[in-house]
Amino acid sequence: MAAFAYASPIEKAWYYLHRLICGAVLLYLVAPILVIIPLSFNSVPFFSYPMPGLSLRWYEEFLLTDRWQGALHNSIFVAVSVTLLSTVLGTLAALGLSRPNFPWRAAVMSLLISPIIIPVVITAVALYFFYADLGLVNTYTGLILAHTTLATPFVVITVTTTLIGFDHTLTRAAAGLGAPSVTVFFKVTLPLILPGMISGALFAFLTSFDEVVIALFVAGPEQRTLPKAMFSGIREEISPTITAAATVLILLSITMLTTVELLRRRSERLRGIRNT
């Protein structure tokens, strides 16, 4: 606050009150998540404070037992497959929507992002009955396609946002100099929209990696993902290993979101929106 020395008492009071409110809201949102992390180091199999001691036994169980390792491998396999598929589909959709003469752009955009607006349980029930007729229930293909339905809108939104400031004269200039369409895309368009594509891919990965409702409907015992294993563990037994798994997911989400923010700033610098 550069002019803080010249501010009135009311402005100074509002300056501190504003920050106090922001801190309270942030604490309200983050506190339930932060409570889980210390419990993952508890030495006893109870969810209680104060903790009698610290231990890594729940992380050892999470990282070394076949039950949790199988679920973790399934989640990584499904999430990577969903990321690749949704990134390709979402980028193609965003490029098509960015064309100046694209008809019914608003209606098509609303249709594409509808999976993240509709309650996920409704989507899960619809996908279950649809995939049941096609024989895709209890298969990896069905689970990957179902998660791709949820993840693709995030890629569409991030790439479309990147294309808002895109200078189309660059592609027209490259085409005017005789470059084929494929060369124009890989040499001009792709480097400029790449930060948006990577951000969308990270959101798609997290969407699939953390999803549990659709997995409960579409996935079978062979496709048991980590969130599904955690949900089943809560229903069948309250094991502190769940807190270790939750801590790993929290750290993964923080890493992904930090990467997305860095990519967003880089994208703004490339488009000339941000100077530093």
Side-chain angles (χ1 to χ4, degrees), residues 50-110:
M51 298 186 299
L54 300 177
S55 174
L56 295 175
R57 56 184 292 195
W58 311 119
Y59 286 94
E60 292 177 357
E61 183 174 341
F62 173 68
L63 296 174
L64 300 179
T65 58
D66 294 336
R67 175 193 176 196
W68 290 100
Q69 282 298 292
L72 181 61
H73 290 162
N74 281 337
S75 286
I76 293 175
F77 170 70
V78 172
V80 170
S81 301
V82 169
T83 301
L84 295 175
L85 188 58
S86 61
T87 301
V88 173
L89 295 177
T91 302
L92 292 175
L95 289 172
L97 289 169
S98 68
R99 293 182 176 274
N101 56 350
F102 190 90
W104 304 99
R105 180 182 292 106
V108 175
M109 186 68 178
S110 300

Side-chain angles (χ1 to χ4, degrees), residues 51 75 84 99 133 145 158 176 237 257 267 275:
M51 298 186 299
S75 286
L84 295 175
R99 293 182 176 274
D133 293 336
L145 292 177
T158 54
E237 58 174 342
L257 291 176
S267 176
N275 295 326

Side-chain angles (χ1 to χ4, degrees), residues 1 10 35 101 120 133 137 139 146 163 169 175 229 244 246:
M1 194 173 183
I10 295 179
V35 167
N101 56 350
V120 67
D133 293 336
V137 175
T139 65
L163 288 169
T169 58

Side-chain angles (χ1 to χ4, degrees), residues 112-173:
L112 287 175
I113 66 173
S114 60
I116 61 176
I117 299 174
I118 298 173
V120 67
V121 66
I122 296 177
T123 303
V125 172
L127 289 174
Y128 173 78
F129 286 109
F130 181 64
Y131 287 173
D133 293 336
L134 300 177
L136 294 176
V137 175
N138 298 341
T139 65
Y140 282 105
T141 303
L143 183 59
I144 291 170
L145 292 177
H147 280 185
T148 302
T149 304
L150 288 182
T152 300
F154 291 100
V155 181
V156 173
I157 292 172
T158 54
V159 178
T160 300
T161 303
T162 305
L163 288 169
I164 289 176
F166 184 76
D167 187 1
H168 290 278
T169 58
L170 297 174
T171 58
R172 287 195 289 269

Side-chain angles (χ1 to χ4, degrees), residues 212-276:
V212 65
V213 178
I214 287 180
L216 291 174
F217 281 84
V218 177
E222 297 294 328
Q223 299 82 40
R224 186 185 179 95
T225 60
L226 184 58
K228 186 177 180 181
M230 294 173 64
F231 183 80
S232 300
I234 293 173
R235 293 183 60 188
E236 297 167 1
E237 58 174 342
I238 305 297
S239 170
T241 309
I242 297 172
T243 61
T247 302
V248 173
L249 290 178
I250 291 170
L251 294 178
L252 178 64
S253 300
I254 293 174
T255 303
M256 291 283 189
L257 291 176
T258 303
T259 305
V260 168
E261 176 61 20
L262 294 176
L263 290 171
R264 185 188 66 81
R265 295 186 179 188
R266 183 176 184 275
S267 176
E268 291 182 350
R269 287 198 300 269
L270 289 175
R271 289 181 292 156
I273 300 176
R274 191 185 186 93
N275 295 326
T276 58

